[in-house]
Amino acid sequence: MNKMTLDVKTSSRTQFLDITGKVSKAVESSGVEEGICYLFVPHTTAGLTINENADPDVVRDMLIGFDSIAPQQGDYLHSEGNSPAHIKSSIMGQQKTVLIEGGKPVLGTWQGIYFCEFDGPRQRKLIIKVAKT
Ligand code: ZN
């Protein structure tokens, strides 16, 4: 078992940060060739997704889509003023599991792993656990 906590710095209020390289490095440093990589975001206004990393317009369109689901202005009561971020975080979820084969995360040709910031910019954490199977 290998557990790591990585620092993730986001630079806008809402942002999908491609962390595929960071995750690949973490898997590589674990030395696990065949196994499972578990990713967890310990935050209530951020999340994780695996989606297209070829055309940047996809991420842009997803952010627009999320804004239409939970607009910045609305009939919210939460005094912190970041209810849309909590909603988006819950929709996206805080965890992902990726298989490891040949010492690398198994991803489709067009897939990347994204840290989803919904209330940035902030200094965030990403917990990674790599296990041999
Ligand atoms: Zn809040």
Side-chain angles (χ1 to χ4, degrees):
M1 290 281 196
N2 291 279
K3 186 184 167 202
M4 292 154 263
T5 301
L6 304 187
D7 291 316
V8 177
K9 190 174 169 40
T10 61
S11 57
S12 353
R13 185 175 59 80
T14 57
Q15 179 183 15
F16 282 17
L17 198 67
D18 191 334
I19 55 167
T20 313
K22 271 180 187 280
V23 173
S24 296
K25 267 192 193 150
V27 168
E28 198 178 308
S29 74
S30 75
V32 171
E33 287 291 313
E34 304 295 316
I36 282 177
C37 175
Y38 177 75
L39 308 168
F40 181 73
V41 168
H43 302 291
T44 61
T45 54
L48 288 168
T49 193
I50 296 175
N51 215 298
E52 174 161 338
N53 68 353
D55 179 2
D57 284 347
V58 172
V59 163
R60 180 263 180 206
D61 291 352
M62 286 179 75
L63 288 170
I64 298 286
F66 271 99
D67 274 340
S68 73
I69 293 166
Q72 197 57 25
Q73 303 302 320
D75 184 20
Y76 305 121
L77 296 179
H78 178 42
S79 62
E80 212 182 9
N82 61 356
S83 286
H86 289 293
I87 293 166
K88 293 168 186 173
S89 168
S90 273
I91 291 170
M92 197 58 93
Q94 279 69 41
Q95 52 205 315
K96 286 286 165 215
T97 306
V98 181
L99 298 179
I100 302 164
E101 285 176 15
K104 295 181 185 338
V106 176
L107 292 165
T109 308
W110 310 111
Q111 287 182 321
I113 306 167
Y114 287 99
F115 183 99
C116 307
E117 176 63 81
F118 296 119
D119 195 25
R122 289 194 196 208
Q123 191 65 51
R124 301 290 203 172
K125 300 275 182 209
L126 172 70
I127 299 169
I128 301 182
K129 193 153 191 171
V130 181
K132 205 172 164 179
T133 55

